[in-house]
Amino acid sequence: MAKIAIIGAGFVGLSSAYWLRRDGHQVTLFDPRGAAGGASFGNAGTFATYACIPVNNPGVFQNLHHYLFSSSSPFRLNLRYLPRVSPWLLRFLISSTTRRYEQSAEALSELLAQAYAGYGDLIQDARLEPFLNRKSALYLYSSKRGYEGAQASLDLRRQLGVEAEELTPREIQELEPELAPIFYRGVLFPGTWHLNSPAGFLKALEAWLVEQGLTLKHDSVERLVPKGEEVLLLTTQEEQSFDHVVVAAGAFSGKFAKQCGDRIPLDTERGYHITFPGAERLLSRPAGWAESGFYMTPMTGGLRTAGTVELAGLGERHNRALLTLLRRSAARALPKLPEPRDEWLGFRPTLPDGLPVIGTSSDSPRVLYAFGHQHIGLTLGGLSGRLVADLVADRPLPLDLSACSPRRFSGAKAGR
């Protein structure tokens, strides 16, 4: 039995705790805000096994002017943040060539194909089934141009094993009658599901894990120091020694990787959500408006509209223009929506090639990374936790993780 620390109480961190506890390890989880205190709280709640198309794609080049300057664009770049994000943007553009984009898509599809294997036992053991809604997710296209422009990515999804059913306007209305009749086509992804409360799911999992022996600490971790057969973990309160440390702190993981010998180009995609109270019955499933870059998801107590991307760092100031875009777009799609109740800003950890980092640090195999999941941390959280446990146990891995290597950005040989 090893003594293991986990930094971060989101989907990846708590799933890692589950799989490590299952192997019999003594696990301490550090997060000053507890379960779902970060990006895991406010996401769209979708278990999106179809999401193998990374943000970095060849279409970025032809649409860059629209993304940067159109008031209807779901993507925004804060120009004051440009000097800091420029190296990341350069890597992102390099990763958007056809060859690299297809490589990222293939690697994502291999992860997503095993995503449920990370959750099946976890959901059953912790009795989390009440949080699941097993209605398949829907993509919506409001224009012929948008739909035709998506054909290449839809074709690639199918080539990579994703099942997708195309819907006519009439079929969309029959499936979701409260949607306004403004959509040219829809795509249904069978076999997907969503959570009616991502935060509720994680808090219930955390409580169950504590019952099973997990130690939960609300201290803020300041530093990691690998030393031979141990790793020193320094918090604002104390210094402790562990056999292994798992870094699953999402957008805040970069400093720990740097302390352990890895300069990883981690940045953040700021995302927003708005809740419309009492409107959860207007939709039976998550519906993503492709051109507008957001989801509408029925959740406990209301309908959540979540999405958009803003490159502006980790500041807390909200972009009112993106919140207005979310509110107006949702009202256009669902005319019966009431007035919204609350707004939220979260920080998605993002890497230039659209792939997470899963593997061991350069300075010590006793420090493990599992972060950078971008828009699919919920979906890949369970699998990532299972892979972390496999790495700790030195078991054969169920798939090749070289594309997710922490060393892929340095030019060093990829490995665990």
Side-chain angles (χ1 to χ4, degrees):
M1 178 181 73
K3 183 181 177 184
I4 301 176
I6 300 172
I7 306 173
F11 282 97
V12 178
L14 282 165
S15 297
S16 298
Y18 167 81
W19 288 104
L20 290 166
R21 283 290 307 154
R22 180 170 160 140
D23 279 350
H25 298 300
Q26 179 185 341
V27 181
T28 303
L29 190 148
F30 292 85
D31 194 312
R33 293 174 292 183
S40 290
F41 170 84
N43 57 51
T46 58
F47 183 75
T49 49
Y50 52 86
C52 59
I53 302 301
V55 176
N56 52 290
N57 64 78
V60 165
F61 297 100
Q62 64 188 64
N63 295 314
L64 191 58
H65 184 272
H66 169 76
Y67 290 149
L68 293 178
F69 301 110
S70 173
S71 61
S72 64
S73 170
F75 173 88
R76 303 295 164 90
L77 170 62
N78 186 318
L79 293 180
R80 285 180 292 183
Y81 191 63
L82 183 58
R84 182 169 177 179
V85 79
S86 290
W88 184 94
L89 278 174
L90 179 59
R91 286 179 179 266
F92 174 81
L93 291 173
I94 292 171
S95 297
S96 299
T97 61
T98 299
R99 182 179 65 85
R100 296 195 180 196
Y101 153 73
E102 290 178 350
Q103 288 174 342
S104 291
E106 183 175 359
L108 283 174
S109 72
E110 291 172 358
L111 289 167
L112 291 164
Q114 300 195 40
Y116 192 78
Y119 276 121
D121 289 351
L122 181 157
I123 289 168
Q124 181 176 342
D125 290 349
R127 300 179 293 279
L128 300 174
E129 185 69 32
F131 291 98
L132 274 62
N133 182 324
R134 296 186 181 275
K135 289 287 188 75
S136 300
L138 174 66
Y139 260 22
L140 298 166
Y141 297 89
S142 55
S143 68
K144 182 178 180 181
R145 179 181 178 183
Y147 177 69
E148 291 178 346
Q151 287 308 300
S153 63
L154 285 171
D155 288 343
L156 182 56
R157 288 183 207 267
R158 291 189 177 99
Q159 291 171 24
L160 294 171
V162 175
E163 186 179 355
E165 299 177 4
E166 298 190 29
L167 304 181
T168 65
R170 175 179 290 184
E171 290 170 328
I172 293 171
Q173 289 299 123
E174 290 173 351
L175 196 67
E176 297 294 341
E178 297 297 340
L179 284 170
I182 60 173
F183 296 104
Y184 176 78
R185 287 289 187 276
V187 177
L188 193 69
F189 296 103
T192 56
W193 44 266
H194 77 276
L195 299 179
N196 57 38
S197 173
F201 178 96
L202 288 178
K203 289 177 180 178
L205 174 58
E206 180 187 72
W208 181 82
L209 285 167
V210 169
E211 290 177 1
Q212 304 305 308
L214 173 71
T215 300
L216 183 64
K217 294 211 168 190
H218 293 289
D219 302 345
S220 179
V221 178
E222 297 295 316
R223 187 167 183 82
L224 299 180
V225 183
K227 293 184 68 176
E229 298 299 306
E230 64 179 3
V231 182
L232 297 182
L233 183 149
L234 287 72
T235 74
T236 51
Q237 305 297 321
E238 60 183 334
E239 175 184 309
Q240 296 184 63
S241 172
F242 292 92
D243 298 310
H244 302 272
V245 174
V246 180
V247 178
F252 301 90
S253 300
K255 75 171 186 178
F256 300 116
K258 187 175 179 180
Q259 291 166 5
C260 298
D262 297 291
R263 303 183 73 89
I264 295 173
L266 180 71
D267 214 286
T268 180
E269 293 182 21
R270 293 156 55 97
Y272 294 84
H273 87 219
I274 298 174
T275 300
F276 296 87
E280 64 271 24
R281 296 182 182 273
L282 294 180
L283 285 176
S284 68
R285 71 195 66 240
W289 188 343
E291 293 99 332
S292 296
F294 75 98
Y295 275 92
M296 300 168 285
T297 306
M299 293 192 176
T300 302
L303 185 91
R304 176 179 293 180
T305 61
T308 70
V309 169
E310 181 185 27
L311 298 180
L314 295 169
E316 296 291 339
R317 185 175 180 178
H318 290 193
N319 186 320
R320 304 309 308 177
L322 283 176
L323 287 164
T324 298
L325 179 65
L326 273 180
R327 177 174 53 82
R328 290 179 177 173
S329 298
R332 186 178 169 213
L334 290 168
K336 293 184 181 179
L337 279 177
E339 287 298 308
R341 178 182 59 200
D342 62 70
E343 303 168 347
W344 176 87
L345 164 65
F347 307 103
R348 305 184 195 97
T350 185
L351 290 153
D353 58 3
L355 294 168
V357 165
I358 304 174
T360 57
S361 78
S362 293
D363 284 355
S364 171
R366 293 182 174 272
V367 176
L368 299 100
Y369 303 142
F371 61 82
H373 292 73
Q374 211 158 331
H375 297 254
I376 50 177
L378 184 163
T379 308
L380 290 179
L383 175 64
S384 297
R386 187 171 182 173
L387 292 168
V388 163
D390 288 341
L391 288 167
V392 168
D394 200 25
R395 287 190 289 261
L397 299 176
L399 73 166
D400 181 5
L401 283 181
S402 58
C404 300
S405 169
R407 282 162 284 286
R408 68 187 189 266
F409 302 106
S410 65
K413 184 178 180 181
R416 289 191 166 194

